[in-house]
Amino acid sequence: MSAPTRKPVHLAVYDTLADWETGHATAYLARAGHPVRTVGPSTDPVTSVGGLRIQPDLALADLRPEDSALLILPGADLWDTSQDLAPFARAARAFLDAGTPVAAICGATAGLAREGLLDDRAHTSAVSFYLAATGYGGGERYIDADAVTDRSLITAGPTEPVAFAREVLGLLGVYEGEVLDAWYRLFHDSDAQAYAVLEKAAAR
């Protein structure tokens, strides 16, 4: 039986994006019926840090929160070396204001910090002093954890793509409870016993 069609998830893509950070999340979202659409600064091709050339499906200016289930912001060198990606942080604000979730990992968390979006939410990142360097006002809300969800915002550090995906899949209801835990243990811990739990859930 095919998965039900759901609102698309929008994956931000831009030059120097970190290829490895969002693959677990987008793959399993797509399997659950969420089309994954890429959104770039424009529709011109971008190149990831690994040299992958990506043709965005739409430009950021055409992205509307009401048309999306989630905005995913991967890390990229540009978050820390220029203001080029600031429009994506502003888009995250529009999404959160509209009640549409946002998931940010690695350098994207610094972009959100600069935008003031972490001042009143629990969050994490690569390390606390990385975000402190942005001058943001949310240092007391920093949590030293692999990934954090506060309301409709997910944050994670660059070494935690599986935990990041776990939070995304849980937030959108792709997996829950024991099944979500098993998914995480399988991909994060190589726990072969977790596979049986996932197989049982898939057979229902």
Side-chain angles (χ1 to χ4, degrees):
M1 181 181 295
S2 60
T5 300
R6 298 186 171 95
K7 278 188 177 182
V9 167
H10 288 92
L11 172 66
V13 295
Y14 20 70
D15 287 332
T16 74
L17 78 90
D19 313 66
W20 65 91
E21 292 177 343
T22 61
H24 288 85
T26 55
Y28 280 85
L29 287 168
R31 285 187 168 189
H34 285 285
V36 177
R37 301 286 180 258
T38 53
V39 53
S42 69
T43 55
D44 293 337
V46 299
T47 304
S48 75
V49 72
L52 298 181
R53 187 173 182 271
I54 303 166
Q55 180 77 53
D57 294 313
L58 75 161
L60 183 61
D62 298 323
L63 178 64
R64 302 189 308 169
E66 60 266 32
D67 297 332
S68 183
L70 171 73
L71 175 62
I72 299 177
L73 299 173
D77 293 345
L78 287 179
W79 283 113
D80 295 320
T81 59
S82 75
Q83 292 298 310
D84 290 357
L85 301 186
F88 285 91
R90 292 194 290 271
R93 177 179 291 280
F95 266 61
L96 293 171
D97 287 347
T100 304
V102 173
I105 186 170
C106 188
T109 62
L112 298 192
R114 295 184 188 99
E115 183 64 20
L117 295 175
L118 304 185
D119 289 352
D120 63 351
R121 292 177 173 86
H123 59 276
T124 193
S125 183
V127 68
S128 61
F129 56 77
Y130 169 64
L131 290 187
T134 69
Y136 83 129
E140 292 184 355
R141 294 181 177 270
Y142 186 90
I143 298 175
D144 188 10
D146 52 9
V148 171
T149 299
D150 187 336
R151 288 164 281 172
S152 54
L153 177 64
I154 295 167
T155 51
T159 61
E160 298 295 344
V162 179
F164 180 69
R166 177 195 62 203
E167 299 300 301
V168 167
L169 299 175
L171 185 66
L172 293 188
V174 173
Y175 298 130
E176 298 175 336
E178 178 188 29
V179 177
L180 181 61
D181 178 66
W183 184 91
Y184 178 74
R185 287 188 290 111
L186 178 63
F187 287 99
H188 188 267
D189 303 326
S190 300
D191 184 349
Q193 293 181 346
Y195 185 75
V197 177
L198 295 176
E199 284 288 283
K200 183 178 179 180
R204 292 173 185 165

